[in-house]
Amino acid sequence: MKHSLHESAPPRDPIAPGGATSLADAASPGDAPPAPDLTPLLKQRDYRLLWTARTISVTGSEVSKLAVPLTAVTLLAASPMEMGLLTGAASLPALLLGLQSGAIADRLSRHRPLMIACELVSCAAALTVPVAWLLGVLNAFWLIVVALAIGSAGVFFRAANFPHVAAIVRPEQRTEAMAGFHASYSVASVGGPGLAGLLVQLLTAPLAVFTEALSFLASALLLRSIRTPEKNEPAPSRGMWRDVTEGLRVSATNPVLRALLGAGVTINFFALAYTAVYMLYMVNTLGIPRGLIGALIALGGVGGLIGAWITTRAAKRYGENRVLLVSVLFFPIEFLAVGLLSGPLWWKLALLTLTGIVTGGVVVAFATCMGAIVLRETAPELRGRVNATMTFAVQGVMALGGLAGGALAEFAGLRPVILVSAVGIALSTVWIWTSPLRPGRRHRFADPTDPASTQPSPEPSKS
């Protein structure tokens, strides 16, 4: 999805049981202990293993996004209905299992075994595709089942991975860690499709899926090599429904979490409405050559790498709150530029290049700070459920946004959808700027270790 918040920060401020209101108020054994001298993240063995595992796994998934549909189309002559089911099967588990996965993650004293098991399940499921093809028994139904299995494993993996970061990375370095993860997603989004095309050309589509299986296996082995012990205090369970409800209640009632959740839902809804008509608008209205559209989309990944680099440094100087407040202001820029764009082709391409890079960086900056703030503000025993609620909401609304964009285009045309999306996504600023994240609007859950939430805005640098 071109400009949506993926693994929300999500991905991706609750009142902690027993009176604790934030990480600053209630240190947990699940958090990495503070240290006077911080070793740079890239020199920390376990972080490198976790980052490498995620990068390899995500790159393999990007390969399969092309290889699996090509297998269905070119070898199995799948019908439009079968292709629709195959596409929906990848995202359906997030809607069916997303909230429950968070409750399960919060019941665990160790998250890494679940993460390893999820990668091994995904590896086994992906491996069945080339095996079934070689045996002559592969069909569209098989691919749909594989997509469901991998999607379900991915849901539980993300639910466990979010709180697991707290065991690996010290609180002072979590923003940098989140930026590193988002940078790996950007690399995968840029290089994955090209690698997939090369592998499909050399190996055929089913055997290209074999590389995805290998990526899941490599990820599991790397995660197995992490040595940092986990000592999480499992949250007492009162039943699945009550556990899930607690995550929903906390996300909706805490003012910081509510602002992040509302902004994330708003951004993804209008981003997907925009994405639904993007291709048609580029080709039919702006007259962009089809061969250049893929390159323009890839610029978002390039911008993401730049955004990850800038976010890490800006957050250290100004705090995650201020970076988030500034980044949300930039979301409507590309939408407005695209909606109002006219003129010669060179001017269109130049402006689309600039706005694509900026928006890619803004998405990563927002998602990185969102994840760091959620980790900072959420009590350890609720992180799984809060993250699951965020993910469920911001990803679940994507389908509604796509449908709304397509329906509106049928009645009003393509350009109005682009402009409506620009106005709609600008509403995300209301959520953030009227929340306690804004300087001077502290709330009783604010983290005193965050300079953005406890200190006045610094004077601009004169250097």
Side-chain angles (χ1 to χ4, degrees):
M1 304 304 175
K2 190 172 185 295
H3 294 310
S4 58
L5 305 177
H6 295 278
E7 280 192 21
S8 184
R12 17 240 246 20
D13 318 42
I15 304 174
T21 58
S22 73
L23 292 180
D25 301 319
S28 165
D31 286 333
D37 297 318
L38 294 176
T39 304
L41 272 181
L42 292 180
K43 293 184 179 180
Q44 295 179 24
R45 175 184 178 275
D46 286 351
Y47 172 76
R48 290 201 310 271
L49 289 170
L50 181 61
W51 181 86
T52 305
R54 295 308 301 133
T55 301
I56 292 174
S57 182
V58 170
T59 302
S61 297
E62 288 296 321
V63 170
S64 74
K65 286 180 182 179
L66 178 64
V68 171
L70 278 179
T71 299
V73 171
T74 60
L75 298 181
L76 305 179
S79 66
M81 176 60 71
E82 289 172 332
M83 291 301 296
L85 291 173
L86 180 60
T87 302
S91 56
L92 185 61
L95 297 177
L96 297 181
L97 304 172
L99 295 176
Q100 297 92 320
S101 68
I104 291 173
D106 281 339
R107 297 177 184 180
L108 302 177
S109 59
R110 298 176 62 216
H111 295 106
R112 194 156 58 247
L114 175 59
M115 295 162 61
I116 294 170
C118 289
E119 294 292 70
L120 292 176
V121 168
S122 296
C123 172
L127 191 60
T128 66
V129 174
V131 170
W133 176 67
L134 292 172
L135 295 176
V137 296
L138 185 64
N139 54 41
F141 177 75
W142 194 301
L143 292 179
I144 292 170
V145 172
V146 167
L148 285 171
I150 294 176
S152 299
V155 168
F156 285 98
F157 182 96
R158 289 189 294 272
N161 181 68
F162 187 75
H164 178 67
V165 172
I168 300 296
V169 181
R170 300 184 188 281
E172 301 91 335
Q173 295 177 305
R174 287 177 189 157
T175 300
E176 184 180 354
M178 292 289 181
F181 293 137
H182 284 289
S184 70
Y185 301 146
S186 297
V187 170
S189 68
V190 173
L195 177 61
L198 178 63
L199 290 173
V200 168
Q201 186 71 26
L202 295 176
L203 303 176
T204 72
L207 291 182
V209 180
F210 180 68
T211 63
E212 180 186 21
L214 292 180
S215 73
F216 287 129
L217 178 60
S219 175
L221 294 176
L222 289 168
L223 292 171
R224 179 67 179 82
S225 301
I226 293 175
R227 297 172 183 168
T228 302
E230 292 187 90
K231 300 177 182 178
N232 302 297
E233 188 68 32
S237 175
R238 296 178 295 172
M240 179 61 72
W241 175 245
R242 294 186 69 180
D243 288 350
V244 168
T245 303
E246 178 69 5
L248 292 169
R249 183 192 67 78
V250 162
S251 300
T253 57
N254 182 275
V256 169
L257 268 185
R258 184 171 61 242
L260 295 174
L261 182 61
V265 167
T266 302
I267 290 167
N268 271 12
F269 179 86
F270 289 103
L272 266 292
Y274 171 86
T275 302
V277 302
Y278 178 81
M279 294 285 189
L280 289 172
Y281 184 79
M282 289 288 114
V283 174
N284 297 338
T285 303
L286 296 184
I288 305 298
R290 290 175 171 82
L292 294 178
I293 292 179
L296 290 173
I297 293 175
L299 290 172
V302 176
L305 292 174
I306 299 172
W309 183 82
I310 293 176
T311 300
T312 299
R313 286 148 183 80
K316 285 181 179 178
R317 180 167 184 177
Y318 302 108
E320 291 87 0
N321 290 10
R322 290 192 179 93
V323 175
L324 192 80
L325 286 160
V326 172
S327 65
V328 75
L329 297 174
F330 285 84
F331 272 109
I333 289 179
E334 179 181 354
F335 292 58
L336 280 173
V338 171
L340 301 175
L341 189 57
S342 62
L345 180 61
W346 69 267
W347 167 248
K348 294 176 183 177
L349 292 176
L351 191 60
L352 290 173
T353 297
L354 177 61
T355 57
I357 292 174
V358 170
T359 303
V362 167
V363 169
V364 168
F366 186 93
T368 295
C369 293
M370 184 177 177
I373 291 170
V374 170
L375 266 179
R376 182 192 74 205
E377 296 283 343
T378 306
E381 62 269 30
L382 287 164
R383 283 179 182 147
R385 281 168 285 177
V386 167
N387 177 60
T389 300
M390 293 276 189
T391 303
F392 177 84
V394 300
Q395 292 190 351
V397 78
M398 292 166 73
L400 298 178
L403 290 173
L408 181 59
E410 288 286 340
F411 294 100
L414 299 174
R415 193 182 295 269
V417 174
I418 301 294
L419 296 175
V420 167
S421 297
V423 174
I425 207 167
L427 296 175
S428 60
T429 60
V430 177
W431 286 100
I432 300 300
W433 279 80
T434 58
S435 75
L437 293 167
R438 199 179 84 192
R441 294 180 63 89
R442 290 184 60 193
H443 68 124
R444 64 191 182 96
F445 307 111
D447 182 0
T449 66
D450 176 32
S453 64
T454 61
Q455 299 176 6
S457 299
E459 292 295 326
S461 174
K462 295 180 175 58
S463 59

